[in-house]
């Protein structure tokens, strides 16, 4: 039995030689469409036909509304058709039925009111306005139209009552401005001024106060205009803080002062300065630009310098904000700016205190003894102390205040086991300038006890030597050598002092002691070696040359050559023989 074939199977799958596209089908359909013919026009010849037409039309509208009851467009068309037939009672009935469905539809109310106004049904229009403003008091357009209608009817008292009812709802700025414009059209300036005062008491913004000030300026009352700007500044600053004030207030205030006080440029400058001082720095860029342009035109040289100072301050503040306040170089530049052209010592001290607190490395990031992290930071303290000292003569500071700065700095660094000889030396030199030798010695003694820095020893020795206290200077030299016995510089320092005192034998003995110590430290048994022992040899040789003891100098060279054969020693020996030897050339040649 042959297999059963599917009746829906394609018997011939080859393509039709004549292909038809969708575009061709649509084109043929359009071509075959005939022109639409308008329906037959209906001519009504009698009242009976008109009545039948109205009944059929109303039935058509009612059937449509029965299906789409909430479709407001149909209700409006129905009412407008009744209006076109001058069936105003029926039109009102349609509108009222629609309002029962959706009384919040503003378009429906507008069409209803426009019908009454167009046909001059004033009483009906007023009734509708009263209803809609009671039901939808936040829809401003009904209040506008209501007041405007009363104004067109020249019933200004009624229009004023409408505005008063509207103002009880505390509307937006535009409502108040429309009320004010209405009073101005009625030439009631005092009423407009009273409304402005109510307006700024209800809506306290920069724009509202600015409008009041401009109103007063237009009517020639500059005193009240200035008071308006001042009240805005005081009110908003007290109630909202600087965040509630914008740059626009001070710009317009300054422009007003320029117009009102042409002979007094300081009035506008004070306004600009008030705005810059009141607002946060990040919100005063435009205000500062306006201030700069104004001062370049009207200001003095001092005013311009002060303006540039403020600009530099802002620049440094921004840089510090970007670097989290830890960049010492920025702080130092900021400090130097305040010292040179700052307004007051208090302002400069404030910057110093901020720098000291902000630039101090935290203890977690700066372990005790890490002196390298504080090398730039210590200069802030040094500059601070020098600045306070510079104010002593003018009476703005005292020596005790300078001492307090030094004590605080030394205590801070000592707590972190960091000692800066430059800080001790600066403190001692300050006491010397104050003619207080006792305090200076105490500072040096404290420095030696805490840090034992070589530079402190040298400064202390020079201090006592200048005072003629030779015994004290020698004791300090002994302490210096004891603390830094393997530093050749300590021995050389003592020998220099003895030579200044013409104590040649003492200097020679010190040199021999230092050479002996250097030899001992250079032996294999010693763990520590003297640093730069060649300085001692050079000093001893120089002493002998100065005293004219050439044989002693030659003997020292020979002893030195027994210990080292460095080329520099041979060269120095040759130069010595060339300059001071009897047979200089032959000896130097050897």
């Amino acid at each position: 039995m042959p297999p059963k074939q599917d009746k829906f199977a394609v018997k011939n799958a080859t393509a039709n030689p004549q292909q038809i596209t969708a575009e061709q089908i649509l084109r043929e359909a359009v071509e075959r469409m005939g022109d639409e013919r308008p329906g037959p026009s209906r001519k009504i010849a009698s009242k009976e036909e008109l009545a039948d037409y109205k009944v059929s039309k109303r039935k058509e509208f009612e059937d449509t509304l029965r299906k789409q009851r909430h479709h407001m467009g149909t209700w409006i068309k129905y009412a407008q058709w009744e209006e076109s037939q001058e069936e105003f009672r029926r039109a009102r009935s349609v509108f009222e039925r629609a309002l029962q469905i959706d009384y919040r539809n503003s378009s429906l109310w507008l069409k209803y009111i426009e019908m009454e106004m167009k046909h001059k049904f004033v009483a009906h229009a007023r009734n509708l306005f009263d209803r809609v403003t009671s039901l939808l008091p936040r829809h401003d357009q009904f209040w506008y139209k209501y007041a405007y209608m009363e104004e067109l009817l020249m019933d200004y008292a009624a229009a004023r009552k409408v505005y008063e009812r509207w103002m009880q709802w505390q509307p937006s700025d535009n409502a108040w401005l429309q009320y004010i414009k209405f009073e101005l059209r009625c030439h009631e300036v005092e009423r407009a001024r009273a409304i402005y005062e109510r307006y700024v008491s209800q809506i306290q913004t920069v724009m509202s106060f600015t409008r009041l000030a401009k109103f007063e300026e237009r009517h020639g009352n500059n005193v009240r205009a200035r008071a308006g700007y001042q009240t805005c500044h005081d009110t908003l600053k007290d109630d909202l803080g600087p965040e509630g004030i914008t740059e626009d207030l001070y710009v317009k205030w300054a422009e007003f002062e320029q117009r009102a006080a042409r002979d007094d440029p300081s009035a506008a400058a004070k306004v600009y300065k008030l705005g810059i001082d009141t607002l946060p720095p990040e919100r005063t860029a435009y205000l500062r630009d306006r201030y700069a342009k104004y001062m370049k035109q009207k200001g003095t040289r001092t005013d311009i310098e002060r303006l540039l100072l403020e600009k530099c301050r802002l620049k440094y503040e921004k840089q510090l904000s970007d670097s989290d306040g830890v960049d010492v170089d920025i702080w130092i530049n900021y400090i130097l700016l305040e010292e040179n052209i700052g307004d007051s010592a208090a302002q400069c001290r404030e910057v110093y205190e901020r720098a000291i607190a902000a630039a101090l490395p935290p203890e977690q990031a700066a372990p005790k003894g890490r002196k390298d992290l504080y090398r730039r930071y210590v200069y802030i303290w040094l500059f601070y102390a020098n600045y306070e000292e510079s104010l002593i003569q003018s009476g703005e500071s005292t020596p005790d205040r300078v001492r307090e700065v030094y004590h605080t700095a030394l205590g801070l660094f000592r707590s972190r086991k960091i000692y800066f000889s430059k800080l001790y030396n600066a403190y001692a030199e300050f006491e010397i300038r104050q003619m207080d030798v006792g305090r200076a010695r105490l500072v040096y003694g404290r420095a030696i006890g805490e840090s034992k820095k070589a530079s402190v020893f040298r400064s202390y020795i020079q201090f006592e030597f200048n005072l003629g206290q030779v015994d004290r200077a020698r004791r300090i030299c002994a302490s210096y050598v004891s603390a830094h016995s393997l530093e050749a510089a300590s021995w050389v320092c003592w020998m220099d002092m003895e030579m200044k005192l013409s104590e040649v034998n003492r200097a020679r003995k010190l040199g021999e002691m230092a050479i002996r110590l250097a030899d001992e430290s250079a032996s294999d048994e010693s763990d520590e070696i003297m640093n730069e022992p060649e300085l001692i040899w050079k000093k001893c040789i120089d002493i002998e040359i100065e005293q004219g003891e050439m044989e002693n100098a030659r003997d020292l060279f020979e002893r030195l050559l027994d210990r080292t054969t460095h080329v520099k020693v041979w060269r120095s020996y040759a130069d010595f023989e060339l300059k001071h030897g009897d047979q200089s050339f032959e000896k130097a040649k050897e």
Side-chain angles (χ1 to χ4, degrees):
M1 184 175 180
K4 187 176 180 180
Q5 294 183 352
D6 187 1
K7 63 179 180 179
F8 297 105
V10 179
K11 298 179 180 179
N12 187 3
T14 60
N16 193 338
Q18 184 178 0
Q19 297 292 323
I20 300 176
T21 62
E23 180 183 1
Q24 186 176 357
I25 295 173
L26 292 174
R27 188 184 300 112
E28 290 179 358
V30 171
E31 290 175 354
R32 292 177 183 178
M33 288 176 60
D35 296 334
E36 293 186 2
R37 297 180 180 179
S41 59
R42 182 175 181 179
K43 294 183 179 180
I44 299 175
S46 63
K47 292 183 179 180
E48 289 77 8
E49 290 182 4
L50 178 60
D52 292 340
Y53 166 71
K54 290 181 178 179
V55 170
S56 63
K57 194 69 175 177
R58 289 186 183 112
K59 185 176 183 302
E60 180 182 343
F61 278 117
E62 293 293 343
D63 291 341
T64 304
L65 290 173
R66 197 176 297 111
K67 298 175 184 177
Q68 297 178 341
R69 184 167 177 267
H70 293 278
H71 192 271
M72 289 296 113
T74 305
W75 286 104
I76 292 173
K77 289 180 181 179
Y78 190 6
Q80 288 177 342
W81 180 81
E82 293 288 0
E83 179 190 358
S84 65
Q85 301 300 317
E86 296 185 355
E87 295 284 352
F88 299 114
R89 294 182 62 185
R90 287 182 176 274
R92 292 189 188 104
S93 176
V94 173
F95 275 121
E96 292 295 338
R97 288 168 60 193
L99 289 174
Q100 290 179 358
I101 296 173
D102 185 8
Y103 73 91
R104 293 187 180 88
N105 193 307
S106 58
S107 298
L108 187 61
W109 283 102
L110 286 174
K111 296 295 183 181
Y112 194 1
I113 293 170
E114 285 176 1
M115 182 194 75
E116 300 290 2
M117 293 176 64
K118 183 167 61 175
H119 297 283
K120 300 181 181 180
F121 298 126
V122 177
H124 286 283
R126 282 178 177 152
N127 183 32
L128 288 175
F129 274 124
D130 288 334
R131 288 170 59 193
V132 71
T133 53
S134 299
L135 294 172
L136 305 174
R138 294 299 179 187
H139 288 231
D140 293 345
Q141 56 185 337
F142 299 115
W143 293 104
Y144 286 133
K145 288 182 175 293
Y146 193 4
Y148 185 60
M149 184 191 75
E150 297 293 355
E151 187 177 356
L152 288 177
L153 296 173
M154 295 186 180
D155 194 348
Y156 301 123
R160 195 170 285 117
K161 288 181 181 179
V162 172
Y163 278 117
E164 287 296 333
R165 285 175 53 197
W166 190 7
M167 296 306 111
Q168 292 176 1
W169 290 95
Q170 298 181 358
S172 62
D173 300 66
N174 289 331
W176 289 96
L177 296 177
Q178 290 299 325
Y179 191 6
I180 293 166
K181 290 178 181 178
F182 163 73
E183 295 293 355
L184 292 176
R185 287 194 295 271
C186 296
H187 305 288
E188 295 287 348
V189 178
E190 291 301 324
R191 286 181 179 270
R193 180 175 287 115
I195 297 168
Y196 256 123
E197 292 177 355
R198 291 167 56 193
Y199 167 44
V200 296
S201 65
Q202 291 286 337
I203 303 176
Q204 295 183 348
T205 61
V206 172
M207 184 60 69
S208 62
F209 281 100
T210 303
R211 285 168 175 159
L212 172 59
K214 287 184 176 180
F215 167 78
E216 297 293 353
E217 184 182 1
R218 281 196 302 270
H219 290 84
N221 198 336
N222 291 337
V223 176
R224 291 182 64 89
R226 187 176 291 108
Y229 285 116
Q230 186 66 48
T231 304
C232 177
H233 167 76
D234 297 338
T235 303
L236 297 183
K237 183 179 179 182
D238 295 339
D239 296 346
L240 304 177
E243 293 76 12
I245 308 177
T246 61
E247 292 177 296
D248 193 49
L249 167 65
Y250 301 102
V251 171
K252 292 183 177 179
W253 189 359
E255 291 175 349
F256 160 74
E257 293 293 351
Q258 294 178 40
R259 294 189 297 269
R262 297 180 184 274
D263 299 333
D264 186 12
S266 63
K270 290 178 181 177
V271 174
Y272 280 121
K273 192 68 170 63
L274 178 64
I276 292 171
D277 294 339
T278 303
L279 297 178
E282 61 272 10
R283 291 174 49 202
T284 58
Y286 177 66
L287 194 61
R288 290 179 184 277
D289 291 340
R290 293 292 300 266
Y291 185 29
K293 292 179 181 178
Y294 177 73
M295 294 309 296
K296 288 177 182 178
Q297 296 174 355
K298 304 290 185 179
T300 62
R301 180 175 180 178
T302 304
D303 296 330
I304 296 174
E305 288 178 353
R306 187 178 296 110
L307 183 64
L308 293 176
L309 172 62
E310 291 295 331
K311 187 175 182 180
C312 291
R313 280 175 178 164
L314 279 180
K315 181 186 73 172
Y316 287 129
E317 290 290 349
K318 187 177 185 305
Q319 291 177 355
L320 290 172
S321 176
D322 295 339
S323 65
D324 296 330
V326 298
D327 195 323
V328 176
D329 293 329
I330 298 176
W331 279 114
I332 291 176
N333 292 335
Y334 195 178
I335 287 166
L336 294 177
L337 172 72
E338 292 293 342
E339 285 189 10
N340 294 328
I341 56 176
D343 297 331
S344 63
Q347 178 75 18
C348 190
R349 286 192 182 106
E350 181 184 354
V351 176
Y352 268 117
E353 295 295 338
R354 289 175 55 200
I356 288 168
L360 177 64
E363 293 192 42
Q364 297 82 1
K368 292 184 177 181
R370 286 289 303 277
K371 186 176 179 180
D372 56 306
L373 300 176
Y374 298 86
R375 292 191 185 279
R376 298 290 295 165
Y377 175 71
V378 70
Y379 283 99
I380 298 178
W381 286 101
L382 291 172
F383 289 157
Y384 193 8
N386 290 335
Y387 176 69
E388 291 291 346
E389 185 179 357
S390 67
L391 297 177
I392 293 176
Q393 188 174 2
S394 62
E396 297 182 76
S397 184
T398 61
D400 290 336
R401 186 174 181 86
V402 182
R403 293 185 183 104
E404 182 182 354
V405 173
Y406 279 117
H407 279 296
T408 306
L410 292 173
L412 172 65
F413 289 119
R414 185 174 63 252
S415 66
R416 301 197 177 193
K417 296 183 179 180
I418 296 171
Y419 307 98
F420 286 99
S421 58
K422 59 175 69 71
L423 193 59
Y424 290 105
N425 289 333
Y427 189 7
E429 289 169 3
F430 162 73
E431 296 294 355
I432 294 171
R433 288 191 293 272
Q434 298 300 313
M435 303 298 179
D436 196 336
V437 177
R439 286 181 181 271
R441 284 177 176 149
L442 289 175
V443 173
Y444 278 125
R446 176 182 176 181
I448 291 172
E450 291 179 354
S451 67
K452 293 183 173 56
K453 295 285 185 179
S455 59
V456 175
F457 278 108
R458 289 193 292 270
S459 299
Y460 195 5
I461 292 167
Q462 187 64 41
F463 166 65
E464 295 292 354
F465 183 80
N466 292 338
L467 292 177
Q469 299 292 329
V470 178
D471 293 336
R472 282 180 176 272
R474 284 190 175 124
R475 286 198 296 271
I476 299 167
C477 285
S479 300
Y480 184 16
V481 169
S482 176
H484 300 275
S485 59
L486 295 180
E487 293 289 337
S490 62
W491 294 95
V492 172
C493 178
W494 196 351
M495 294 167 68
D496 285 337
M497 189 192 73
E498 295 295 349
M499 289 301 298
K500 290 178 182 178
L501 296 172
S502 300
E503 294 287 349
V504 181
N505 292 331
R506 281 179 176 271
R508 285 172 176 159
K509 289 180 181 179
L510 288 171
E512 291 297 331
M513 292 172 60
I515 291 172
R516 192 180 310 115
L517 182 62
D519 292 340
E520 292 175 358
S521 65
S523 63
D524 297 336
E525 298 177 358
S526 178
D527 296 332
E528 297 181 355
I529 301 175
M530 179 176 285
N531 186 25
E532 297 180 328
E534 62 273 10
L535 296 178
I536 299 174
W537 286 98
K538 183 178 183 303
K539 187 62 182 177
C540 292
I541 293 171
D542 290 342
I543 290 173
E544 298 299 342
I545 293 174
E546 289 177 8
Q547 299 301 317
E549 299 291 342
M550 303 306 169
E551 291 299 327
N552 292 342
R554 190 174 288 109
D555 182 58
L556 287 171
F557 270 118
E558 295 292 341
R559 290 170 60 188
L560 179 58
L561 288 172
D562 292 339
R563 292 167 174 78
T564 180
T565 57
H566 198 280
V567 64
K568 289 185 178 180
V569 179
W570 288 104
R571 185 181 299 167
S572 299
Y573 194 7
D575 291 340
F576 165 75
E577 292 295 348
L578 186 63
K579 292 180 182 179
H580 305 288
D582 295 336
Q583 299 175 351
S584 55
F585 182 75
E586 296 297 331
K587 188 68 175 176
K589 187 175 180 181
E590 292 179 6

